[in-house]
Amino acid sequence: MASLNVGNLGEYLREQRRTAQLSLRQLAEAAGVSNPYLSQIERGLRKPSAEVLQQVAKALRISAETLYVRAGILDEKEREELETRAVILADPSINERQKQVLLQIYDSFRKENAAENATAQPTDT
């Protein structure tokens, strides 16, 4: 079976699993996926769904978004945006209204910067 182009997802998963001191079988059980399937993912033979990646990330206690980026499901900028939003929403020191206002400000800054970057002209040197 030929290796699929899933970046270094399998290698990264293996490294995270070993760091967590889990066997392949233990991780498969914790993530609710079969041991052979997880082995195929680690070897780059299978491309897992976002749902499977989320289950594996939860079992490893790592960011699912990081796995999405490594699997090519999400790009790095999207991951950064999602993580920023998650941090804002998880902050217990501000109330829900404040979180929504902060997210609106964040969105307006991102749109403003995107517009500026789109209209920026390269300079001749």
Side-chain angles (χ1 to χ4, degrees):
M1 188 178 257
S3 182
L4 298 174
N5 184 16
V6 290
N8 57 358
L9 173 65
E11 183 179 309
Y12 180 76
L13 282 176
R14 186 177 300 113
E15 179 183 309
Q16 294 301 309
R17 177 176 58 78
R18 288 179 177 162
T19 299
Q21 298 181 335
L22 294 172
S23 70
L24 192 63
R25 188 174 308 243
Q26 289 169 322
L27 178 57
E29 187 176 314
V33 298
S34 75
N35 187 26
Y37 182 61
L38 186 57
S39 175
Q40 290 174 345
I41 294 169
E42 281 194 1
R43 291 181 288 139
L45 301 176
R46 296 275 186 193
K47 184 173 181 177
S49 67
E51 182 180 318
V52 168
L53 288 174
Q54 185 174 20
Q55 291 169 233
V56 170
K58 185 176 180 182
L60 288 170
R61 298 182 182 187
I62 61 175
S63 163
E65 289 80 11
T66 298
L67 295 184
Y68 296 161
V69 169
R70 290 189 179 265
I73 295 172
L74 189 69
D75 73 19
E76 187 69 25
K77 288 184 180 182
E78 290 173 317
R79 180 188 65 84
E80 290 170 358
E81 179 185 353
L82 287 172
E83 287 181 350
T84 300
R85 290 177 177 284
V87 168
I88 291 169
L89 291 171
D91 189 336
S93 66
I94 58 177
N95 66 39
E96 289 304 312
R97 185 189 60 78
Q98 292 167 331
K99 290 175 185 179
Q100 292 307 312
V101 169
L102 190 52
L103 287 173
Q104 289 172 353
I105 292 168
Y106 174 68
D107 285 338
S108 71
F109 283 151
R110 287 180 49 82
K111 287 177 187 172
E112 180 181 321
N113 290 341
E116 286 176 8
N117 291 337
T119 60
Q121 298 293 325
T123 57
D124 293 328
T125 49

